[in-house]
Amino acid sequence: PGDPTSAYAYNPQLFYKNRGPRFYETIAYNGCTWPINGNKNYRLWTYYVGNTPVETKATSTGFYCRKAIDPNLAVGDVQYAGTDWMEIRFAEVVLNLAESACGINKLGEAYQGLEAIRKRAGIPAGADGLYGLQAGMSRSEMFKAILYERRIEFAFEGKRYWDMRRWKLFEGTLNDSVRTGITIDLDTAAISASDFAAARDTMNLDEAYSKYFTIQSKVLDTKYKIDWQPNYYFFAIPQQSIDNNTKLLQTKGWPGGTFDPLQ
């Protein structure tokens, strides 16, 4: 968002504009058109009037996830529907190959993998044909670019946790941080709640955000910050298992642990 040279100029008040194509396939946000429940013109509203969400089921973050949602299901059929879990899909095969190529310093092959994924996602090639990638990346820069691509491509697919675990990135990335969200409030001094509700489904979204909405960030974790400890990378052995087999040793870093899994 802070890159002034980016083709996707970012405006925090109009946060939904000029985002990468995968944003719109992944995130449902206040005011977006989301064909769902048999309604091709449905618009999602998660704003607040005072301290009350306009929809009683508005999320705490202000957003919904679009992935793996069948927009053609009728409301009455949702409770009977399911989604098959995709453990691995084509994009992951390509990015696994790119990561492996980076690992042995075949950066040209790593570029090919990243470019293929970004082209597939609908990102423009650009004048240099690099699909928004930095030219001439070093091995370490390429590695970061691949992990970042995985973070976007596999959002809400359960991959990020394991990427961070296998590369031991938790402490440096998440420690001392908290989860945040936004609250979008209707400015009732500019328009009444009833007048806005009557006009909102046909209103231009830029107009709504520019004239009638205020956006406030909020902290969701108010009691604790993330504090990942290095010993968490190796699971503790359940005490019941140790009780059943006295030959088992607890992993180092856990109470009474003497077993070093790296030895």
Side-chain angles (χ1 to χ4, degrees):
D3 181 2
T5 66
S6 174
Y8 300 104
Y10 181 73
N11 179 339
Q13 183 65 27
L14 306 177
F15 62 84
Y16 53 88
K17 297 198 74 175
N18 299 321
R19 306 305 293 265
R22 285 172 292 191
F23 173 85
Y24 303 102
E25 299 298 326
T26 304
I27 302 295
Y29 53 90
N30 178 63
C32 74
T33 300
W34 188 7
I36 197 170
N37 295 338
N39 183 355
K40 293 183 179 180
N41 299 312
Y42 175 74
R43 292 182 75 173
L44 176 70
W45 297 105
T46 62
Y47 64 89
Y48 280 65
V49 177
N51 295 319
T52 304
V54 67
E55 302 290 346
T56 56
K57 295 183 180 179
T59 69
S60 60
T61 62
F63 301 98
Y64 285 88
C65 177
R66 276 185 164 181
K67 272 193 177 179
I69 302 296
D70 183 354
N72 298 312
L73 280 175
V75 176
D77 293 333
V78 171
Q79 61 181 320
Y80 306 113
T83 301
D84 292 334
W85 178 259
M86 293 182 291
E87 187 58 44
I88 188 170
R89 57 187 179 86
F90 175 71
E92 185 169 5
V93 175
V94 175
L95 287 176
N96 284 352
L97 179 60
E99 187 177 318
S100 300
C102 178
I104 58 175
N105 211 30
K106 290 188 176 182
L107 301 186
E109 189 173 339
Y111 263 110
Q112 290 175 4
L114 280 180
E115 289 165 7
I117 292 300
R118 293 171 73 81
K119 178 180 180 180
R120 182 172 180 261
I123 295 172
D128 58 6
L130 290 177
Y131 295 90
L133 296 171
Q134 176 186 329
M137 283 189 281
S138 66
R139 184 181 175 192
S140 61
E141 288 171 334
M142 174 61 73
F143 174 71
K144 290 179 181 178
I146 291 169
L147 284 186
Y148 183 69
E149 198 69 26
R150 291 178 63 90
R151 182 179 178 181
I152 298 172
E153 179 69 26
F154 305 132
F156 304 107
E157 294 183 38
K159 304 293 182 181
R160 177 68 173 164
Y161 170 84
W162 296 105
D163 284 349
M164 296 183 70
R165 190 180 187 96
R166 65 194 174 92
W167 289 111
K168 295 187 175 181
L169 298 174
F170 277 107
E171 306 100 300
T173 304
L174 294 181
N175 274 7
D176 292 323
S177 66
V178 294
R179 295 175 301 164
T180 61
I182 63 171
T183 299
I184 300 174
D185 293 303
L186 183 70
D187 182 1
T188 52
I191 189 172
S192 70
S194 58
D195 285 348
F196 183 80
R200 66 186 187 182
D201 286 339
T202 56
M203 184 180 293
N204 177 275
L205 194 57
D206 292 358
E207 178 186 4
Y209 271 89
S210 299
K211 292 183 177 180
Y212 306 124
F213 287 139
T214 60
I215 302 175
Q216 301 291 333
S217 62
K218 60 182 177 182
V219 174
L220 300 179
D221 298 320
T222 57
K223 191 172 183 181
Y224 299 108
K225 291 184 177 181
I226 295 174
D227 184 22
W228 179 278
Q229 300 299 311
N231 56 294
Y232 296 169
Y233 288 114
F234 295 97
F235 293 112
I237 298 175
Q239 187 59 47
Q240 184 177 4
S241 299
I242 295 175
D243 293 340
N244 289 337
N245 184 350
T246 57
K247 298 293 184 181
L248 287 177
L249 301 177
Q250 183 57 274
T251 308
K252 267 188 172 183
W254 298 92
T258 58
F259 172 67
D260 187 348
L262 296 178
Q263 297 297 318

